[in-house]
Amino acid sequence: MNQYFVYILLCNDNSYYTGITNDIERRIWEHETCFYPNAYTSKRLPFKLVFWEKFQTPDQAIEFEKQVKGWSRRKKEAIIEGNWDKLKELSVCTNDSHYKNFSKSPFDSAQGDKVD
């Protein structure tokens, strides 16, 4: 049965690289040896493998990789730490403009229609 991995590397410049592979040992070797000399990690060596998750289908792995790539650094660090509950907390919108964060209805200051 094939396995697919989504992984996160902590690069020398303190950035994160998120990738996907069906052979994690080979892929890490490729990063370490600059197999692809123009790749993101080749200019940020050394790196450390800080997270990996296994998937049964490539579609599942691709979907998760895309999701992680769109996350903030704090969300990535939550899963690196294995703190999935913190990830949920970080997913809650805290912007002042979010409807849950209004102390009163945003329409309270609207003027009513004049009745003749």
Side-chain angles (χ1 to χ4, degrees):
M1 177 184 276
N2 288 336
Q3 296 178 18
Y4 303 87
F5 301 89
V6 173
Y7 61 95
I8 300 175
L9 305 177
L10 175 60
C11 298
N12 191 38
D13 66 354
N14 207 32
S15 65
Y16 289 117
Y17 174 84
T18 302
I20 185 172
T21 185
N22 63 351
D23 184 342
I24 197 155
E25 290 179 11
R26 174 190 47 81
R27 189 66 183 112
I28 295 301
W29 176 84
E30 289 172 351
H31 285 296
E32 289 173 337
T33 62
C34 298
F35 190 79
Y36 301 104
N38 294 324
Y40 182 85
T41 56
S42 67
K43 295 163 184 60
R44 292 165 173 82
L45 294 173
F47 62 81
K48 179 180 178 184
L49 177 65
V50 292
F51 173 85
W52 60 270
E53 186 75 29
K54 192 180 337 179
F55 296 88
Q56 299 304 317
T57 70
D59 289 341
Q60 291 171 330
I62 291 166
E63 182 179 338
F64 187 66
E65 179 201 26
K66 286 181 180 179
Q67 185 177 28
V68 171
K69 282 186 172 186
W71 284 352
S72 67
R73 182 176 185 87
R74 290 175 48 189
K75 282 184 177 182
K76 290 175 186 174
E77 289 173 347
I79 64 167
I80 290 167
E81 296 165 3
N83 193 341
W84 296 90
D85 289 334
K86 185 176 180 181
L87 178 65
K88 290 177 189 175
E89 291 171 23
L90 293 170
S91 297
V92 174
C93 183
T94 58
N95 293 342
D96 289 340
S97 61
H98 193 273
Y99 80 95
K100 289 183 179 179
N101 299 321
F102 279 111
S103 58
K104 60 181 183 173
S105 170
F107 302 109
D108 283 351
S109 63
Q111 297 176 3
D113 292 335
K114 287 189 176 182
V115 180
D116 290 332

